PDB file of all heavy atoms in Angstrom:
ATOM      1  N   GLU A 241      22.009   0.073   1.141  1.00  0.00           N
ATOM      2  CA  GLU A 241      21.930  -0.914   2.231  1.00  0.00           C
ATOM      3  C   GLU A 241      20.619  -1.688   2.103  1.00  0.00           C
ATOM      4  O   GLU A 241      19.545  -1.194   2.468  1.00  0.00           O
ATOM      5  CB  GLU A 241      22.000  -0.205   3.572  1.00  0.00           C
ATOM      6  CG  GLU A 241      23.341   0.530   3.821  1.00  0.00           C
ATOM      7  CD  GLU A 241      23.310   1.361   5.095  1.00  0.00           C
ATOM      8  OE1 GLU A 241      22.302   1.297   5.854  1.00  0.00           O
ATOM      9  OE2 GLU A 241      24.281   2.102   5.324  1.00  0.00           O
ATOM     10  N   ASP A 242      20.715  -2.841   1.552  1.00  0.00           N
ATOM     11  CA  ASP A 242      19.540  -3.675   1.277  1.00  0.00           C
ATOM     12  C   ASP A 242      19.925  -5.138   1.468  1.00  0.00           C
ATOM     13  O   ASP A 242      20.614  -5.714   0.646  1.00  0.00           O
ATOM     14  CB  ASP A 242      19.036  -3.436  -0.149  1.00  0.00           C
ATOM     15  CG  ASP A 242      17.872  -4.362  -0.543  1.00  0.00           C
ATOM     16  OD1 ASP A 242      17.248  -4.939   0.379  1.00  0.00           O
ATOM     17  OD2 ASP A 242      17.628  -4.486  -1.740  1.00  0.00           O
ATOM     18  N   ASP A 243      19.532  -5.714   2.593  1.00  0.00           N
ATOM     19  CA  ASP A 243      19.925  -7.090   2.885  1.00  0.00           C
ATOM     20  C   ASP A 243      18.792  -8.076   2.735  1.00  0.00           C
ATOM     21  O   ASP A 243      18.846  -9.202   3.263  1.00  0.00           O
ATOM     22  CB  ASP A 243      20.498  -7.189   4.291  1.00  0.00           C
ATOM     23  CG  ASP A 243      19.498  -6.750   5.362  1.00  0.00           C
ATOM     24  OD1 ASP A 243      18.353  -6.404   4.998  1.00  0.00           O
ATOM     25  OD2 ASP A 243      19.852  -6.757   6.563  1.00  0.00           O
ATOM     26  N   ARG A 244      17.759  -7.711   1.948  1.00  0.00           N
ATOM     27  CA  ARG A 244      16.647  -8.661   1.757  1.00  0.00           C
ATOM     28  C   ARG A 244      17.149  -9.910   1.042  1.00  0.00           C
ATOM     29  O   ARG A 244      17.834  -9.825   0.024  1.00  0.00           O
ATOM     30  CB  ARG A 244      15.576  -8.009   0.881  1.00  0.00           C
ATOM     31  CG  ARG A 244      14.792  -6.862   1.531  1.00  0.00           C
ATOM     32  CD  ARG A 244      13.884  -6.200   0.515  1.00  0.00           C
ATOM     33  NE  ARG A 244      14.651  -5.619  -0.565  1.00  0.00           N
ATOM     34  CZ  ARG A 244      14.177  -5.439  -1.794  1.00  0.00           C
ATOM     35  NH1 ARG A 244      12.965  -5.875  -2.130  1.00  0.00           N
ATOM     36  NH2 ARG A 244      14.940  -4.872  -2.717  1.00  0.00           N
ATOM     37  N   PRO A 245      16.767 -11.075   1.537  1.00  0.00           N
ATOM     38  CA  PRO A 245      17.181 -12.317   0.885  1.00  0.00           C
ATOM     39  C   PRO A 245      16.285 -12.663  -0.289  1.00  0.00           C
ATOM     40  O   PRO A 245      15.158 -12.178  -0.395  1.00  0.00           O
ATOM     41  CB  PRO A 245      17.016 -13.371   2.021  1.00  0.00           C
ATOM     42  CG  PRO A 245      15.868 -12.852   2.822  1.00  0.00           C
ATOM     43  CD  PRO A 245      16.020 -11.333   2.795  1.00  0.00           C
ATOM     44  N   VAL A 246      16.784 -13.506  -1.158  1.00  0.00           N
ATOM     45  CA  VAL A 246      15.953 -14.073  -2.220  1.00  0.00           C
ATOM     46  C   VAL A 246      15.192 -15.238  -1.571  1.00  0.00           C
ATOM     47  O   VAL A 246      15.772 -16.162  -1.016  1.00  0.00           O
ATOM     48  CB  VAL A 246      16.796 -14.587  -3.390  1.00  0.00           C
ATOM     49  CG1 VAL A 246      15.937 -15.300  -4.401  1.00  0.00           C
ATOM     50  CG2 VAL A 246      17.511 -13.413  -4.028  1.00  0.00           C
ATOM     51  N   VAL A 247      13.857 -15.214  -1.693  1.00  0.00           N
ATOM     52  CA  VAL A 247      13.048 -16.254  -1.044  1.00  0.00           C
ATOM     53  C   VAL A 247      12.063 -16.802  -2.104  1.00  0.00           C
ATOM     54  O   VAL A 247      11.629 -16.090  -2.994  1.00  0.00           O
ATOM     55  CB  VAL A 247      12.271 -15.737   0.170  1.00  0.00           C
ATOM     56  CG1 VAL A 247      13.247 -15.326   1.251  1.00  0.00           C
ATOM     57  CG2 VAL A 247      11.388 -14.563  -0.225  1.00  0.00           C
ATOM     58  N   VAL A 248      11.747 -18.049  -1.984  1.00  0.00           N
ATOM     59  CA  VAL A 248      10.720 -18.669  -2.822  1.00  0.00           C
ATOM     60  C   VAL A 248       9.386 -18.350  -2.172  1.00  0.00           C
ATOM     61  O   VAL A 248       8.989 -18.953  -1.171  1.00  0.00           O
ATOM     62  CB  VAL A 248      10.932 -20.180  -2.926  1.00  0.00           C
ATOM     63  CG1 VAL A 248       9.865 -20.790  -3.843  1.00  0.00           C
ATOM     64  CG2 VAL A 248      12.329 -20.467  -3.458  1.00  0.00           C
ATOM     65  N   GLU A 249       8.686 -17.342  -2.757  1.00  0.00           N
ATOM     66  CA  GLU A 249       7.494 -16.852  -2.122  1.00  0.00           C
ATOM     67  C   GLU A 249       6.278 -17.736  -2.406  1.00  0.00           C
ATOM     68  O   GLU A 249       6.170 -18.358  -3.464  1.00  0.00           O
ATOM     69  CB  GLU A 249       7.172 -15.441  -2.629  1.00  0.00           C
ATOM     70  CG  GLU A 249       8.228 -14.427  -2.214  1.00  0.00           C
ATOM     71  CD  GLU A 249       7.829 -13.019  -2.594  1.00  0.00           C
ATOM     72  OE1 GLU A 249       7.112 -12.877  -3.591  1.00  0.00           O
ATOM     73  OE2 GLU A 249       8.260 -12.086  -1.915  1.00  0.00           O
ATOM     74  N   ARG A 250       5.375 -17.754  -1.430  1.00  0.00           N
ATOM     75  CA  ARG A 250       4.112 -18.437  -1.641  1.00  0.00           C
ATOM     76  C   ARG A 250       3.179 -17.566  -2.477  1.00  0.00           C
ATOM     77  O   ARG A 250       3.356 -16.374  -2.537  1.00  0.00           O
ATOM     78  CB  ARG A 250       3.464 -18.769  -0.289  1.00  0.00           C
ATOM     79  CG  ARG A 250       4.140 -19.904   0.444  1.00  0.00           C
ATOM     80  CD  ARG A 250       3.520 -20.132   1.801  1.00  0.00           C
ATOM     81  NE  ARG A 250       3.951 -19.136   2.724  1.00  0.00           N
ATOM     82  CZ  ARG A 250       3.577 -19.132   4.016  1.00  0.00           C
ATOM     83  NH1 ARG A 250       2.837 -20.098   4.493  1.00  0.00           N
ATOM     84  NH2 ARG A 250       4.002 -18.184   4.819  1.00  0.00           N
ATOM     85  N   GLU A 251       2.191 -18.194  -3.038  1.00  0.00           N
ATOM     86  CA  GLU A 251       1.230 -17.491  -3.906  1.00  0.00           C
ATOM     87  C   GLU A 251       0.520 -16.402  -3.120  1.00  0.00           C
ATOM     88  O   GLU A 251       0.077 -16.614  -2.010  1.00  0.00           O
ATOM     89  CB  GLU A 251       0.224 -18.471  -4.486  1.00  0.00           C
ATOM     90  CG  GLU A 251      -0.729 -17.848  -5.449  1.00  0.00           C
ATOM     91  CD  GLU A 251      -1.695 -18.853  -6.032  1.00  0.00           C
ATOM     92  OE1 GLU A 251      -1.669 -20.026  -5.596  1.00  0.00           O
ATOM     93  OE2 GLU A 251      -2.489 -18.477  -6.907  1.00  0.00           O
ATOM     94  N   ALA A 252       0.428 -15.223  -3.719  1.00  0.00           N
ATOM     95  CA  ALA A 252      -0.256 -14.112  -3.045  1.00  0.00           C
ATOM     96  C   ALA A 252      -1.756 -14.394  -2.906  1.00  0.00           C
ATOM     97  O   ALA A 252      -2.373 -14.938  -3.818  1.00  0.00           O
ATOM     98  CB  ALA A 252      -0.067 -12.823  -3.852  1.00  0.00           C
ATOM     99  N   LYS A 253      -2.311 -14.034  -1.777  1.00  0.00           N
ATOM    100  CA  LYS A 253      -3.746 -14.201  -1.525  1.00  0.00           C
ATOM    101  C   LYS A 253      -4.506 -12.942  -1.849  1.00  0.00           C
ATOM    102  O   LYS A 253      -5.710 -12.965  -2.141  1.00  0.00           O
ATOM    103  CB  LYS A 253      -3.993 -14.587  -0.072  1.00  0.00           C
ATOM    104  CG  LYS A 253      -3.248 -15.825   0.401  1.00  0.00           C
ATOM    105  CD  LYS A 253      -3.697 -17.083  -0.332  1.00  0.00           C
ATOM    106  CE  LYS A 253      -2.980 -18.302   0.243  1.00  0.00           C
ATOM    107  NZ  LYS A 253      -3.274 -19.536  -0.499  1.00  0.00           N
ATOM    108  N   SER A 254      -3.832 -11.783  -1.746  1.00  0.00           N
ATOM    109  CA  SER A 254      -4.484 -10.517  -2.018  1.00  0.00           C
ATOM    110  C   SER A 254      -3.446  -9.463  -2.386  1.00  0.00           C
ATOM    111  O   SER A 254      -2.259  -9.668  -2.171  1.00  0.00           O
ATOM    112  CB  SER A 254      -5.270 -10.064  -0.770  1.00  0.00           C
ATOM    113  OG  SER A 254      -4.384  -9.817   0.305  1.00  0.00           O
ATOM    114  N   ILE A 255      -3.917  -8.372  -2.967  1.00  0.00           N
ATOM    115  CA  ILE A 255      -3.072  -7.247  -3.343  1.00  0.00           C
ATOM    116  C   ILE A 255      -3.793  -5.991  -2.897  1.00  0.00           C
ATOM    117  O   ILE A 255      -4.983  -5.840  -3.139  1.00  0.00           O
ATOM    118  CB  ILE A 255      -2.806  -7.185  -4.864  1.00  0.00           C
ATOM    119  CG1 ILE A 255      -2.191  -8.513  -5.346  1.00  0.00           C
ATOM    120  CG2 ILE A 255      -1.925  -6.027  -5.197  1.00  0.00           C
ATOM    121  CD1 ILE A 255      -2.071  -8.564  -6.877  1.00  0.00           C
ATOM    122  N   SER A 256      -3.057  -5.076  -2.263  1.00  0.00           N
ATOM    123  CA  SER A 256      -3.736  -3.844  -1.821  1.00  0.00           C
ATOM    124  C   SER A 256      -2.748  -2.679  -1.862  1.00  0.00           C
ATOM    125  O   SER A 256      -1.552  -2.851  -1.934  1.00  0.00           O
ATOM    126  CB  SER A 256      -4.250  -4.017  -0.384  1.00  0.00           C
ATOM    127  OG  SER A 256      -3.202  -4.260   0.516  1.00  0.00           O
ATOM    128  N   VAL A 257      -3.328  -1.478  -1.819  1.00  0.00           N
ATOM    129  CA  VAL A 257      -2.546  -0.256  -1.789  1.00  0.00           C
ATOM    130  C   VAL A 257      -3.319   0.735  -0.930  1.00  0.00           C
ATOM    131  O   VAL A 257      -4.546   0.694  -0.898  1.00  0.00           O
ATOM    132  CB  VAL A 257      -2.323   0.295  -3.214  1.00  0.00           C
ATOM    133  CG1 VAL A 257      -3.636   0.657  -3.888  1.00  0.00           C
ATOM    134  CG2 VAL A 257      -1.401   1.488  -3.193  1.00  0.00           C
ATOM    135  N   GLU A 258      -2.599   1.578  -0.200  1.00  0.00           N
ATOM    136  CA  GLU A 258      -3.297   2.580   0.588  1.00  0.00           C
ATOM    137  C   GLU A 258      -2.484   3.865   0.594  1.00  0.00           C
ATOM    138  O   GLU A 258      -1.285   3.865   0.341  1.00  0.00           O
ATOM    139  CB  GLU A 258      -3.530   2.108   2.002  1.00  0.00           C
ATOM    140  CG  GLU A 258      -2.300   1.690   2.772  1.00  0.00           C
ATOM    141  CD  GLU A 258      -2.631   1.031   4.108  1.00  0.00           C
ATOM    142  OE1 GLU A 258      -3.607   0.273   4.190  1.00  0.00           O
ATOM    143  OE2 GLU A 258      -1.914   1.316   5.075  1.00  0.00           O
ATOM    144  N   GLN A 259      -3.162   4.964   0.879  1.00  0.00           N
ATOM    145  CA  GLN A 259      -2.555   6.291   0.854  1.00  0.00           C
ATOM    146  C   GLN A 259      -2.935   7.044   2.119  1.00  0.00           C
ATOM    147  O   GLN A 259      -4.113   7.150   2.469  1.00  0.00           O
ATOM    148  CB  GLN A 259      -3.031   7.089  -0.373  1.00  0.00           C
ATOM    149  CG  GLN A 259      -2.470   8.500  -0.466  1.00  0.00           C
ATOM    150  CD  GLN A 259      -0.965   8.544  -0.678  1.00  0.00           C
ATOM    151  OE1 GLN A 259      -0.439   7.818  -1.541  1.00  0.00           O
ATOM    152  NE2 GLN A 259      -0.265   9.357   0.081  1.00  0.00           N
ATOM    153  N   THR A 260      -1.914   7.543   2.855  1.00  0.00           N
ATOM    154  CA  THR A 260      -2.138   8.398   4.002  1.00  0.00           C
ATOM    155  C   THR A 260      -2.002   9.858   3.573  1.00  0.00           C
ATOM    156  O   THR A 260      -1.008  10.229   2.931  1.00  0.00           O
ATOM    157  CB  THR A 260      -1.133   8.086   5.120  1.00  0.00           C
ATOM    158  OG1 THR A 260      -1.284   6.717   5.512  1.00  0.00           O
ATOM    159  CG2 THR A 260      -1.393   8.966   6.341  1.00  0.00           C
ATOM    160  N   PHE A 261      -2.971  10.670   3.929  1.00  0.00           N
ATOM    161  CA  PHE A 261      -3.022  12.060   3.460  1.00  0.00           C
ATOM    162  C   PHE A 261      -2.379  12.973   4.521  1.00  0.00           C
ATOM    163  O   PHE A 261      -2.442  12.704   5.715  1.00  0.00           O
ATOM    164  CB  PHE A 261      -4.463  12.497   3.207  1.00  0.00           C
ATOM    165  CG  PHE A 261      -5.213  11.566   2.310  1.00  0.00           C
ATOM    166  CD1 PHE A 261      -6.332  10.897   2.765  1.00  0.00           C
ATOM    167  CD2 PHE A 261      -4.788  11.315   1.011  1.00  0.00           C
ATOM    168  CE1 PHE A 261      -7.043  10.029   1.958  1.00  0.00           C
ATOM    169  CE2 PHE A 261      -5.443  10.441   0.199  1.00  0.00           C
ATOM    170  CZ  PHE A 261      -6.597   9.782   0.670  1.00  0.00           C
ATOM    171  N   GLU A 262      -1.799  14.061   4.055  1.00  0.00           N
ATOM    172  CA  GLU A 262      -1.196  15.032   4.967  1.00  0.00           C
ATOM    173  C   GLU A 262      -2.245  15.702   5.825  1.00  0.00           C
ATOM    174  O   GLU A 262      -1.990  16.036   7.001  1.00  0.00           O
ATOM    175  CB  GLU A 262      -0.381  16.055   4.172  1.00  0.00           C
ATOM    176  CG  GLU A 262       0.851  15.484   3.500  1.00  0.00           C
ATOM    177  CD  GLU A 262       1.716  16.554   2.879  1.00  0.00           C
ATOM    178  OE1 GLU A 262       1.464  17.751   3.161  1.00  0.00           O
ATOM    179  OE2 GLU A 262       2.621  16.217   2.135  1.00  0.00           O
ATOM    180  N   THR A 263      -3.428  15.961   5.257  1.00  0.00           N
ATOM    181  CA  THR A 263      -4.556  16.535   6.010  1.00  0.00           C
ATOM    182  C   THR A 263      -5.792  15.696   5.735  1.00  0.00           C
ATOM    183  O   THR A 263      -5.910  15.082   4.671  1.00  0.00           O
ATOM    184  CB  THR A 263      -4.816  17.990   5.609  1.00  0.00           C
ATOM    185  OG1 THR A 263      -5.100  18.041   4.194  1.00  0.00           O
ATOM    186  CG2 THR A 263      -3.625  18.873   5.914  1.00  0.00           C
ATOM    187  N   ASP A 264      -6.665  15.602   6.685  1.00  0.00           N
ATOM    188  CA  ASP A 264      -7.872  14.799   6.536  1.00  0.00           C
ATOM    189  C   ASP A 264      -8.707  15.331   5.351  1.00  0.00           C
ATOM    190  O   ASP A 264      -8.851  16.538   5.163  1.00  0.00           O
ATOM    191  CB  ASP A 264      -8.716  14.825   7.801  1.00  0.00           C
ATOM    192  CG  ASP A 264      -8.004  14.166   8.974  1.00  0.00           C
ATOM    193  OD1 ASP A 264      -6.951  13.553   8.750  1.00  0.00           O
ATOM    194  OD2 ASP A 264      -8.539  14.255  10.116  1.00  0.00           O
ATOM    195  N   ILE A 265      -9.259  14.435   4.559  1.00  0.00           N
ATOM    196  CA  ILE A 265     -10.016  14.791   3.364  1.00  0.00           C
ATOM    197  C   ILE A 265     -11.517  14.454   3.547  1.00  0.00           C
ATOM    198  O   ILE A 265     -11.856  13.319   3.935  1.00  0.00           O
ATOM    199  CB  ILE A 265      -9.460  14.048   2.143  1.00  0.00           C
ATOM    200  CG1 ILE A 265      -8.020  14.509   1.842  1.00  0.00           C
ATOM    201  CG2 ILE A 265     -10.345  14.287   0.922  1.00  0.00           C
ATOM    202  CD1 ILE A 265      -7.372  13.821   0.698  1.00  0.00           C
ATOM    203  N   THR A 266     -12.353  15.421   3.278  1.00  0.00           N
ATOM    204  CA  THR A 266     -13.787  15.243   3.333  1.00  0.00           C
ATOM    205  C   THR A 266     -14.459  15.269   1.968  1.00  0.00           C
ATOM    206  O   THR A 266     -15.612  14.903   1.840  1.00  0.00           O
ATOM    207  CB  THR A 266     -14.433  16.321   4.227  1.00  0.00           C
ATOM    208  OG1 THR A 266     -14.133  17.598   3.653  1.00  0.00           O
ATOM    209  CG2 THR A 266     -13.869  16.270   5.637  1.00  0.00           C
ATOM    210  N   ASP A 267     -13.735  15.739   0.968  1.00  0.00           N
ATOM    211  CA  ASP A 267     -14.277  15.914  -0.379  1.00  0.00           C
ATOM    212  C   ASP A 267     -14.333  14.538  -1.084  1.00  0.00           C
ATOM    213  O   ASP A 267     -13.312  13.923  -1.391  1.00  0.00           O
ATOM    214  CB  ASP A 267     -13.381  16.859  -1.186  1.00  0.00           C
ATOM    215  CG  ASP A 267     -14.009  17.235  -2.532  1.00  0.00           C
ATOM    216  OD1 ASP A 267     -14.744  16.407  -3.115  1.00  0.00           O
ATOM    217  OD2 ASP A 267     -13.710  18.332  -3.005  1.00  0.00           O
ATOM    218  N   ARG A 268     -15.546  14.081  -1.310  1.00  0.00           N
ATOM    219  CA  ARG A 268     -15.708  12.726  -1.913  1.00  0.00           C
ATOM    220  C   ARG A 268     -15.112  12.654  -3.331  1.00  0.00           C
ATOM    221  O   ARG A 268     -14.606  11.631  -3.734  1.00  0.00           O
ATOM    222  CB  ARG A 268     -17.194  12.341  -1.924  1.00  0.00           C
ATOM    223  CG  ARG A 268     -17.446  10.894  -2.264  1.00  0.00           C
ATOM    224  CD  ARG A 268     -18.912  10.516  -2.134  1.00  0.00           C
ATOM    225  NE  ARG A 268     -19.343  10.574  -0.760  1.00  0.00           N
ATOM    226  CZ  ARG A 268     -19.198   9.559   0.097  1.00  0.00           C
ATOM    227  NH1 ARG A 268     -18.634   8.427  -0.299  1.00  0.00           N
ATOM    228  NH2 ARG A 268     -19.635   9.678   1.345  1.00  0.00           N
ATOM    229  N   ALA A 269     -15.169  13.743  -4.050  1.00  0.00           N
ATOM    230  CA  ALA A 269     -14.594  13.760  -5.417  1.00  0.00           C
ATOM    231  C   ALA A 269     -13.079  13.534  -5.373  1.00  0.00           C
ATOM    232  O   ALA A 269     -12.517  12.834  -6.200  1.00  0.00           O
ATOM    233  CB  ALA A 269     -14.937  15.074  -6.133  1.00  0.00           C
ATOM    234  N   VAL A 270     -12.432  14.189  -4.385  1.00  0.00           N
ATOM    235  CA  VAL A 270     -10.992  13.976  -4.231  1.00  0.00           C
ATOM    236  C   VAL A 270     -10.694  12.525  -3.872  1.00  0.00           C
ATOM    237  O   VAL A 270      -9.781  11.896  -4.423  1.00  0.00           O
ATOM    238  CB  VAL A 270     -10.402  14.925  -3.166  1.00  0.00           C
ATOM    239  CG1 VAL A 270      -8.956  14.604  -2.871  1.00  0.00           C
ATOM    240  CG2 VAL A 270     -10.570  16.367  -3.628  1.00  0.00           C
ATOM    241  N   LEU A 271     -11.459  11.939  -2.976  1.00  0.00           N
ATOM    242  CA  LEU A 271     -11.272  10.567  -2.566  1.00  0.00           C
ATOM    243  C   LEU A 271     -11.510   9.622  -3.739  1.00  0.00           C
ATOM    244  O   LEU A 271     -10.762   8.647  -3.899  1.00  0.00           O
ATOM    245  CB  LEU A 271     -12.237  10.226  -1.413  1.00  0.00           C
ATOM    246  CG  LEU A 271     -11.956  10.967  -0.103  1.00  0.00           C
ATOM    247  CD1 LEU A 271     -13.101  10.735   0.882  1.00  0.00           C
ATOM    248  CD2 LEU A 271     -10.638  10.537   0.495  1.00  0.00           C
ATOM    249  N   GLU A 272     -12.508   9.905  -4.567  1.00  0.00           N
ATOM    250  CA  GLU A 272     -12.719   9.048  -5.728  1.00  0.00           C
ATOM    251  C   GLU A 272     -11.596   9.180  -6.736  1.00  0.00           C
ATOM    252  O   GLU A 272     -11.254   8.230  -7.441  1.00  0.00           O
ATOM    253  CB  GLU A 272     -14.074   9.380  -6.369  1.00  0.00           C
ATOM    254  CG  GLU A 272     -15.263   8.973  -5.506  1.00  0.00           C
ATOM    255  CD  GLU A 272     -16.578   9.143  -6.210  1.00  0.00           C
ATOM    256  OE1 GLU A 272     -16.603   9.731  -7.338  1.00  0.00           O
ATOM    257  OE2 GLU A 272     -17.614   8.683  -5.661  1.00  0.00           O
TER     258      GLU A 272
END
């Protein structure tokens, strides 16, 4: 079930990625 249309997209201004952790992380080495 995927009804996304084909669209003529505008140029991207930025690219990003993020990760939510199952438990809060305090270890800087793990974060790096």
